[in-house]
């Protein structure tokens, strides 16, 4: 079955995660055990009390101490149960937090190119709802699995001390329950495996239909699809129920044994009481304890779907964890002082997309300091892939990317300070200054102004109502496209990068804005390598070096005019 | 099974109208649930009496013991045990069946409401999985029956019966039980209810905020990495998550506390009943055997109150989900179905005048005062950098979005007066964001044209250069595609979409990047076959691939938010 390896992986993950919160889980189980002991004590006292009052003509006033003890046990039992639940929840939440942290770190290690291959909605759902599905598993399922062992054994021990026959009844029926549950559970699992595709297909049919709504409308099939969705929903209900019916047999088995043993205890004890060979106190106690004997089993089987949800969630997480870590370079901090990089050299570079499709082959070119290098070529030709490789978001399959300092000495790539301005730059909710300081949190006003000047952004920033302290709105909605680009450029410059990479910096801008950006770019060239991918001729005209990307490779194009900034 | 139209009209009550058709089934589920609970009560109640009665008789000596008829109560105990087993199973099956049917109806209802809004109304503002939310909200609303209505109704109905049974033996005990059940079953849920509502709401708000933030982080991951802000970003996000976890934790504490409170009330009531029963027994109003019976009865009766805190929490969630679904699918006023004369008529020319358009909540316009005329029968290439207005033309043509100003007319009719479904009769689109449904390849092809013949299928597959690929599949057209099926490569999937569009045989064919992901030979083959097959058809080919353009009559460039005549030497740069 397709799902099996992922399931096995999920089981491994569960163990690892349980280890993470062992203390909390252990606490939950121990306190739960205390609660179980108190519960049994409470029932012993209650049986004692009822027996005394009903059969031994004790006055109510003589039993005050027993009342007190029962209440004490009750409060202790309830309190301990409460604490146990809370410890379990804490364990669950901690696991969820831990998994989210690890996942996020892994995604950052995978890098933007790899992550772009997974639908954002799926990632977001795995993070939030997936991690959330782990909580009940650790909060309820794991403690209840432990409690399933503790409480029945405890009750069995007490009953053994009270009455042999009842012990026999409970000891025989108790173990049969798990046996039957496993038996039926396997049956249900087999059916589920056999109908796995059908179930997952129908289960996902609603989401599938919603995703395809636009396609259906374009085909003019909206009306027919209404019937289709109703039919699929119907089939989903029927299939699910047919599997559930088998799964319900599990609880029916549980129900059978628990009802049967109560009835047996009552009838067997009744006969013996009648014959005078048993005393009421033990009979009543066993009758009180019998339902509790099966209660943990019931709680456990009720939390069974928590396990299934958690397993499904872990399969999804497994998929994300399986993403290759492509952006390795950024796991290291920038170690070297800035300003030393002379050239970046690509030799025989071969780059594939994360799913293995070749994009660039035999790319040999270089990018020099104090030069504006412009990449041209049709979209889809591999310009962005080359930029992503330079930035370290994609690792080449063959060939190498090297950095050399101004004296021609080879230097480690992770010592090169990179900065980039993507086509749709990140704008966080906050002021202009907040956005500029993202990369250099400690930058002072002087530095901000300097960077803004260089990026040709100072003019418009100062024209804003509150200057650097102006809020830019959700995703920079209060700024124009050109202003956002220049702000992002200023932010990149604030980091004083050795290499500055820009993807389509003038796309979607009118001629005037494009000119502003182009002029700003020319000014940034001093002391660094600037690489720009563009469609625009205006920008290509200002290049010091032109590279044309086509047919999976890169060619150097002679620059027409003799300009050096 | 299709939804009656009137159920699409109402607001939140529309959901509940859905359950009307299922009311007997749903009521049967409640009936079995009550039967199971009553049998459970009867089992313990009678067992208590049996034991105590036998004990009394046993103590009374041989004669009394022989006079005691144990067969009848023993049979009763077995009867209740059997009823409990069977009723529990039937309850599960019937209740879940009802819930699943309800869920099915609800899905169809939500779908019918959402359909006219697609795709504009379904776009997540910040890329969060809005569709996934629809699914989970629908499930939560459907779970209302099993998780909320059933436990509360069972508690109410059985509670009345329990109190009635107690009243047959001893009125004060019945009153005490009633008081206890009211405290545990009504007061406790009322007490924790508002706080649960608040926490569930806050949790949901946080959740959507956090999802939006995460989507943004993913989208701008490169910059976060390069700005060296990734770890602080991750920290911030985790802190927000931790805050949400706190709300979740409070909710759990509240539920646990409520459950604990009900346990306390249970035993307090049991002790109270014990005291009352013993007093009554001493006063001769009650037999000794009835004392343990009543005590056990109280413990059994409270079984129906125990699940109520959890049910109250589920109610809070269902309420919120209802509100969200209701807000997301407002009752739509469908455009009137256009008949005969008002439908586009030949020649099917597209005339775009002074069209300006920007997507909602964006600043830069996609089109500004754009003009365009495409005559019937023309083969036009539409070029320009990706993400600039080419695909928007499809959205505007089908009325998925309304233009900010200007007009689009097709076949002499303003497209604003047409429904997307009307337009589809004239224009076939192979969109860039097309969707392959989970199903076989044949299912997907027939979805576009339900009445296509085998020969037609074979023809379009040949044109789309898919014949060889399909033949290479062991199951051919019966191969599963979609989420859990065969993963088609981008180019293969794109050609399936082209085949779908071709199969519909409309006068117009709009292809968005049809040759994306194809190698040069396939690209040539596809385009050649296409123009040969569709000589009479108007073809609009949106592309950035130069090799496609020679197959077109003329080329239009989308540039600076306008349509410009293209072609010639400047194209090749």
């Amino acid at each position: 079955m397709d799902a099996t390896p992922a399931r096995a992986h999920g089981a491994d993950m569960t163990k690892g995660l349980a280890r993470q919160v062992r203390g909390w889980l252990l606490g939950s189980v121990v306190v739960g055990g205390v609660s179980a002991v108190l519960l049994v004590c409470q029932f012993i006292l209650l049986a004692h009390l009822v027996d005394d009052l009903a059969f031994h003509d004790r006055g109510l006033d003589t039993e005050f101490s027993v009342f007190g003890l029962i209440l004490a046990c009750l409060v202790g039992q309830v309190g301990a149960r409460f604490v146990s639940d809370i410890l379990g929840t804490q364990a669950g939440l901690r696991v969820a937090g831990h998994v989210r942290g690890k996942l996020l770190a892994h995604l950052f290690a995978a890098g933007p190119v790899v992550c772009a291959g997974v639908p954002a909605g799926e990632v977001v759902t795995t993070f939030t709802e997936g991690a959330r599905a782990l909580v009940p598993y650790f909060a309820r399922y794991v403690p209840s699995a432990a409690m399933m062992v503790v409480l029945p054994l405890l009750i069995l021990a007490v009953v053994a001390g009270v009455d042999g026959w009842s012990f026999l009844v409970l000891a025989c029926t108790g173990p049969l329950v798990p046996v039957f549950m496993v038996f039926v559970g396997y049956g249900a699992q087999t059916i589920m495996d056999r109908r796995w595709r059908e179930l997952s297909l129908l289960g996902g049919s609603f989401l599938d239909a919603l995703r395809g709504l636009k396609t259906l409308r374009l085909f003019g099939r909206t009306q027919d699809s209404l019937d289709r969705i109703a039919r699929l929903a119907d089939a989903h209900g029927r299939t699910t129920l047919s599997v559930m019916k088998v799964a319900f047999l599990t609880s029916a088995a549980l129900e059978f044994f628990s009802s049967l043993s109560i009835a047996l205890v009552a009838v067997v004890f009744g006969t013996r009481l009648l014959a005078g060979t048993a005393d009421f106190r033990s009979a009543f106690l066993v009758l009180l304890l019998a339902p509790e004997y099966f209660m943990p089993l019931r709680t456990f089987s009720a939390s069974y779907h928590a396990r299934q949800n958690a397993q499904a969630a872990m399969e999804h997480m497994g998929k994300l964890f399986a993403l290759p870590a492509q952006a390795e370079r950024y796991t290291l901090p920038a170690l070297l002082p800035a300003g030393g990089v002379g050239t970046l050299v690509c030799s025989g570079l071969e780059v594939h997309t994360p799913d293995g499709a070749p994009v660039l082959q035999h790319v040999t070119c270089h990018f020099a300091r104090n030069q504006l290098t412009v990449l041209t070529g049709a979209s889809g030709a591999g310009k962005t892939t080359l930029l992503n490789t330079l930035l370290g978001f994609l690792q080449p399959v063959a060939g190498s990317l090297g950095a050399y300092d101004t004296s021609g000495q080879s230097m480690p790539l992770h010592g090169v300070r990179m900065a980039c301005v993507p086509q749709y730059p990140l704008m966080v909710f906050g002021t202009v200054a907040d956005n500029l300081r993202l990369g250099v949190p400690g930058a002072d006003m002087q530095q901000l102004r300097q960077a803004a000047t260089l990026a040709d952004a100072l003019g418009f920033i100062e024209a804003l109502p509150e200057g650097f302290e102006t809020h830019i709105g959700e995703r920079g909605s209060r700024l124009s496209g050109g202003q956002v680009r220049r702000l992002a450029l200023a932010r990149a410059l604030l980091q004083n990068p050795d290499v500055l990479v820009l993807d389509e910096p003038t796309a979607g801008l009118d001629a005037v804005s494009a000119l502003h950006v182009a002029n700003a770019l020319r000014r940034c060239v001093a002391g660094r390598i600037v690489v720009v991918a563009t469609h625009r001729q205006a920008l290509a005209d200002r290049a010091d070096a032109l590279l044309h990307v086509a047919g999976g490779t890169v060619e150097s194009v002679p620059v027409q005019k003799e300009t050096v900034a | 099974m299709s939804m009656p139209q009137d159920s699409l009209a109402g607001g939140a009550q529309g959901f509940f109208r859905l359950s009307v058709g299922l009311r007997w089934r749903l009521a049967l589920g409640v009936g079995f649930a009550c039967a199971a609970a009553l049998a459970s009560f009867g089992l313990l109640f009678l067992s208590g009496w049996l034991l105590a009665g036998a004990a009394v008789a046993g103590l009374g000596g041989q004669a009394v013991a022989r006079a005691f008829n144990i067969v009848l109560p023993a049979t009763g105990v077995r009867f209740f045990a059997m009823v409990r087993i069977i009723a529990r199973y039937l309850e599960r099956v019937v209740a879940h069946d009802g819930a699943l049917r309800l869920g099915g109806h609800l899905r169809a209802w939500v779908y019918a409401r959402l359909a006219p809004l697609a795709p504009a109304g379904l776009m997540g503002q910040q890329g969060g999985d809005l569709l996934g939310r629809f699914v989970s909200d629908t499930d939560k609303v459907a779970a209302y029956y099993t998780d909320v209505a059933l436990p509360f109704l069972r508690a109410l109905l059985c509670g009345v019966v329990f109190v009635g049974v107690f009243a047959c033996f001893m009125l004060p005990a019945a009153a005490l039980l009633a008081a206890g059940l009211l405290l545990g079953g009504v007061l406790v849920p009322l007490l924790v209810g508002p706080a649960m509502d608040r926490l569930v709401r806050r949790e949901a708000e946080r959740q959507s905020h956090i999802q939006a933030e995460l989507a943004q982080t993913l989208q701008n991951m490169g910059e976060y990495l390069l700005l060296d802000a990734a770890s602080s970003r991750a920290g911030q996000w985790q802190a927000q998550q931790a805050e949400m976890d706190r709300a979740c934790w409070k909710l759990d504490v509240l539920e646990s506390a409520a459950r604990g409170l009900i346990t306390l009330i249970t035993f307090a009531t049991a002790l109270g009943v014990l005291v009352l029963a013993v007093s009554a027994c001493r006063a001769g109003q009650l037999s000794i055997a009835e004392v343990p019976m009543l005590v056990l009865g109280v413990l059994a009766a409270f079984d129906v109150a125990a699940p109520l805190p959890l049910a109250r929490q589920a109610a809070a969630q269902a309420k919120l989900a209802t509100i969200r679904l209701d807000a997301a699918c407002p009752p739509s006023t469908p455009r009137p179905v256009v008949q005969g004369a008002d439908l586009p008529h030949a020649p099917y020319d597209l005339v775009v005048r002074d069209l300006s358009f920007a997507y909602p909540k964006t600043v830069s316009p996609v089109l500004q005062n754009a003009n365009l005329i495409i005559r019937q029968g023309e083969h036009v290439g539409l070029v320009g950098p990706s993400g600039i207005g080419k695909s928007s033309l499809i959205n505007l043509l089908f009325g998925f979005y309304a233009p900010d100003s200007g007009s689009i007319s097709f076949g002499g009719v303003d497209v604003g007066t047409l429904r997307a479904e009307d337009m589809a009769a004239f224009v076939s689109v192979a969109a860039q964001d097309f969707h392959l449904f989970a199903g076989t390849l044949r299912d997907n092809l027939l979805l576009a044209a339900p009445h296509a013949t085998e020969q037609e299928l074979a023809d379009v597959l040949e044109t789309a250069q898919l014949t060889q690929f399909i033949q290479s599949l062991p199951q051919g057209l019966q191969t599963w595609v979609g989420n859990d099926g065969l993963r088609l490569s981008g180019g293969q999937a794109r050609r399936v979409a082209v085949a779908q569009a071709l199969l519909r045989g409309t006068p117009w064919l709009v292809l968005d990047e049809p040759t994306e992901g194809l190698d040069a030979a396939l690209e040539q083959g596809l385009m050649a076959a296409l123009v040969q097959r569709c000589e009479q058809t108007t073809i609009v080919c949106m592309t950035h691939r130069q090799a496609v353009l020679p197959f077109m009559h003329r080329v239009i460039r989308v540039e600076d938010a306008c349509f410009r005549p293209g072609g010639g030497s400047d194209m090749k740069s």
Side-chain angles (χ1 to χ4, degrees), chain B residues 291-527:
Chain B
V291 174
M293 176 186 81
L294 289 179
V295 172
L296 272 174
V298 171
L299 298 184
F302 269 90
D303 269 355
V304 295
L308 294 184
L310 206 58
R312 183 61 189 81
Q313 191 178 328
Q317 267 153 358
K319 197 156 82 180
L320 185 74
T322 311
I323 292 170
R324 290 209 298 199
L325 268 190
D326 215 27
C329 24
S332 57
T333 43
R335 285 187 194 169
V337 180
V338 186
Q339 308 269 331
D342 297 327
L343 284 174
H345 44 80
Y348 301 113
D349 293 345
L350 175 73
V351 181
V352 175
R353 285 209 194 288
D354 294 327
L355 188 67
S356 294
F357 173 66
Y359 281 103
K361 297 189 178 162
T362 58
V363 187
S364 40
V366 177
L367 292 169
Q368 202 153 29
N369 297 322
N371 290 288
L372 174 72
I373 296 178
I374 297 176
R375 304 259 173 233
Q376 186 181 346
E378 278 191 300
H379 293 180
V380 176
L382 210 56
V383 299
S386 52
I388 305 199
K390 281 180 298 177
S391 309
S392 309
L393 195 60
I394 299 173
N395 285 333
L396 290 166
L397 192 61
F398 278 79
F400 295 153
Y401 291 89
D404 298 329
S405 66
S407 70
I408 310 172
S409 83
F410 180 81
V413 176
D414 181 5
V415 299
T417 65
L418 298 171
R419 297 180 311 159
E421 287 72 22
D422 301 324
M423 202 60 177
F426 303 95
V427 183
S428 292
V429 178
Q432 214 170 355
D433 54 354
F434 67 97
H435 181 81
L436 282 181
F437 287 88
T440 64
L441 272 171
R442 184 191 300 278
D443 290 343
N444 272 288
L445 287 169
L446 290 182
L447 195 79
H451 306 296
T453 62
E454 280 310 296
Q455 188 55 46
E456 284 169 328
L457 285 182
D459 282 351
V460 295
L461 290 174
E462 184 64 46
T463 309
Q465 313 289 304
L466 279 168
T467 311
Q468 218 177 3
F469 166 67
I470 304 276
Q471 276 168 357
S472 75
L473 297 172
Q475 289 171 291
L477 277 179
Q478 297 303 115
T479 307
W480 278 79
V481 292
N483 245 351
D484 293 319
L486 176 76
R487 284 282 284 267
L488 298 177
S489 79
Q492 288 158 348
R494 197 61 65 97
R495 278 178 289 154
V496 172
V498 171
Q500 284 178 317
L502 282 172
L503 205 53
R504 304 188 65 237
T506 50
W508 269 59
L509 195 56
V510 179
L511 307 173
D512 200 351
E513 303 286 3
T515 61
E516 179 83 38
L518 300 192
D519 62 39
L522 266 178
E523 182 173 43
Q524 292 290 322
L526 173 65
M527 289 313 294

Side-chain angles (χ1 to χ4, degrees), chain A residues 42-43 46 49-50 53-55 57-58 60 67 74 78 82 85-86 89-90 93 97 100-101 104 107-108 111-112 115 121 123-125 127-129 132 140 197 200-201 203 206-222 225-227 229-230 233-234 236-237 241 244-245 248-249 251-252 255-256 258-259 263 266-267 269-271 273-274 280 283-284 287-288 298 330 379 391 393 418 420 422 424-428 438-439 474-475 477 491 495 536, chain B residues 1-2 47-48 50-52 54-59 65 68 70 74 77 81 84-85 88-89 92-93 96-97 100 104 107 111-112 114-116 118-119 122 126 129 131-132 134-135 138 203 207 211 214 216-227 229-230 234 237-238 241 244-245 248-249 252-253 256-257 259-260 263-264 267 271 274-275 278 282 288 292 296 299 363 395 398 400 420-421 424 429 433-435 437-438 446-448 450 480 484 500 504 544 560:
Chain A
Q42 182 194 326
F43 279 138
L46 186 63
L49 182 69
V50 171
L53 287 176
F55 289 91
D57 286 331
R58 293 277 176 79
L60 279 170
F67 269 106
L74 175 63
V78 170
F82 178 71
D85 281 355
I86 282 180
T89 305
Q90 197 55 247
L93 289 173
R100 280 193 301 252
L104 198 59
L107 288 187
F108 273 122
C115 288
V123 178
V124 170
T125 310
F127 258 91
T128 48
E129 317 223 322
R132 172 59 56 83
R140 299 283 170 267
R197 163 161 282 169
S200 79
L201 171 76
F206 187 39
L207 186 61
D208 193 45
L210 287 178
R211 290 216 171 108
L213 254 176
K214 182 182 174 185
T215 303
L216 285 170
R217 295 199 79 197
L218 286 174
F219 288 160
R221 296 295 307 277
T222 323
S225 70
L226 294 183
D227 298 339
I229 192 75
D234 231 31
H236 173 239
L241 195 70
M244 272 178 153
K245 270 183 192 159
F248 289 154
L249 282 177
S251 37
E255 206 57 57
F256 177 75
S258 79
S259 299
V267 174
F269 254 119
T271 323
L273 280 169
L274 211 52
F280 176 76
F284 193 65
L287 195 59
L288 280 174
R298 193 183 293 172
Y330 297 93
S379 43
L391 290 171
F393 297 150
M418 302 259 183
C420 78
Y424 301 102
L426 161 72
M427 287 287 132
V428 297
L438 261 184
E474 199 81 36
R475 316 203 114 198
S477 57
R491 175 170 66 203
Q495 291 183 291
R536 292 273 188 125
Chain B
M1 167 172 60
S2 72
S47 298
L50 172 66
L51 288 189
V56 172
L59 289 174
F68 184 77
I70 197 168
V77 163
R84 185 170 105 153
I85 296 163
R88 276 262 160 86
Y89 184 73
R92 289 215 166 87
V93 172
H96 279 87
D97 180 45
L100 286 166
R107 283 178 171 203
Y111 185 80
L114 289 177
L122 303 185
Q126 300 198 315
D129 192 356
L131 299 180
F134 284 131
V135 176
T138 310
E203 204 185 329
Q207 169 118 339
Q211 286 185 336
L214 181 63
Q216 190 228 30
T217 309
L218 289 174
Q219 202 174 355
N220 295 92
M221 184 186 286
E223 263 182 300
Y224 276 117
L225 284 169
L226 290 170
L227 288 167
W237 190 77
Q238 281 279 50
Q241 268 292 358
M244 195 177 113
D245 283 351
C248 172
W249 143 270
D252 215 70
V253 168
S256 295
R259 212 152 16 96
T263 312
L264 286 177
F267 282 97
L271 289 178
L274 175 64
V275 172
V278 168
R282 301 265 153 92
I288 292 179
L296 272 174
L299 298 184
V363 187
N395 285 333
F398 278 79
F400 295 153
E421 287 72 22
V429 178
D433 54 354
F434 67 97
H435 181 81
F437 287 88
L446 290 182
L447 195 79
W480 278 79
D484 293 319
Q500 284 178 317
R504 304 188 65 237
H544 62 252
D560 299 329

Side-chain angles (χ1 to χ4, degrees), chain A residues 412-434:
Chain A
L413 263 178
H414 63 254
V416 179
R417 291 192 195 187
M418 302 259 183
C420 78
V421 179
Q423 203 170 341
Y424 301 102
L426 161 72
M427 287 287 132
V428 297
F429 189 78
T431 64
V432 170
D434 291 339

